[in-house]
Amino acid sequence: MKQNLILCGFMGCGKTTVGRRLAAISGRKFVDMDAFIQEEQSMTISEIFSQLGEPAFRKMETDAARILSQRQDLVIACGGGTVLNPENAHLLKQGGLILLLDVPLPALQERLKNDTQRPLLQRPDRREFIESLHAQRMPLYRQAADLVIPAGAPGNAVARTILQMLGEEKTL
Ligand code: S3P
């Protein structure tokens, strides 16, 4: 049994991309929390936000965190807001380590500039909104995380860095 590796960080930081690679090379199963919630609800994240509202989505995140924290051998890609709720961070930590993927703001802006899937970003002042949300959230991600991973590199390289930092590489 391996402890879960839980990836957190801002939208666009690579939680899903790095998570898939990390799962493949570390012999864990990959779970994306947004995808998990979409499957449970048979609705997209956009539909959940527009039809049920953000508070309902946040409650679904806590339910998902509770379920996933009971499992092992997972790489879990959180949503960008998941660990901002201390209850979620506490639940997830019971099953493993929370890793923050730290990508510089200009790279995040570039990756997110044409996004159409994230309900929070569908607004005319997207650039300024991302900048202020990033400033607001980074300290909270750092508080929740057990380890901060410099994550500006391609997904595969970041996944390898994580395993090196955890000392798991030699056991592969
Ligand atoms: C959110 C991030 C999204 C998704 C939802 C809310 C956030 O996940 O959970 O749109 O509050 O930052 P990604 O970080 O995977 O885009």
Side-chain angles (χ1 to χ4, degrees), residues 102-113:
D102 187 7
V103 173
L105 179 60
L108 293 175
Q109 292 280 21
E110 185 58 31
R111 292 183 196 179
L112 295 171
K113 69 177 185 199

Side-chain angles (χ1 to χ4, degrees), residues 28-42:
R28 291 174 170 86
K29 184 176 174 323
F30 176 70
V31 180
D32 183 276
M33 279 187 63
D34 281 348
F36 182 86
I37 292 169
Q38 293 185 124
E39 262 169 51
E40 295 253 300
Q41 302 296 323
S42 302

Side-chain angles (χ1 to χ4, degrees), residues 28-99:
R28 291 174 170 86
K29 184 176 174 323
F30 176 70
V31 180
D32 183 276
M33 279 187 63
D34 281 348
F36 182 86
I37 292 169
Q38 293 185 124
E39 262 169 51
E40 295 253 300
Q41 302 296 323
S42 302
M43 289 169 96
T44 65
I45 300 296
S46 297
E47 286 167 348
I48 296 171
F49 269 70
S50 65
Q51 294 173 29
L52 306 176
E54 183 173 346
F57 172 73
R58 298 301 175 197
K59 194 176 163 300
M60 292 168 194
E61 275 188 311
T62 302
D63 293 341
R66 187 170 291 112
I67 293 167
L68 295 174
S69 66
Q70 302 302 316
R71 303 192 188 159
Q72 286 283 277
D73 295 314
L74 301 180
V75 171
I76 302 171
C78 294
T82 310
V83 304
L84 302 175
N85 177 348
E87 184 185 0
N88 296 348
H90 177 76
L91 284 166
L92 289 165
K93 259 181 217 255
Q94 290 173 1
L97 282 181
I98 298 186
L99 313 176

Side-chain angles (χ1 to χ4, degrees), residues 99-142:
L99 313 176
L100 166 59
L101 301 186
D102 187 7
V103 173
L105 179 60
L108 293 175
Q109 292 280 21
E110 185 58 31
R111 292 183 196 179
L112 295 171
K113 69 177 185 199
N114 296 321
D115 178 81
T116 56
Q117 304 302 315
R118 295 172 169 94
L120 295 179
L121 301 184
Q122 309 315 310
R123 45 188 295 156
D125 60 344
R126 176 182 300 200
R127 239 191 126 72
E128 295 73 28
F129 176 73
I130 289 175
E131 191 176 334
S132 83
L133 194 65
H134 185 262
Q136 200 183 307
R137 286 180 166 189
M138 277 312 282
L140 304 172
Y141 291 139
R142 287 183 195 282

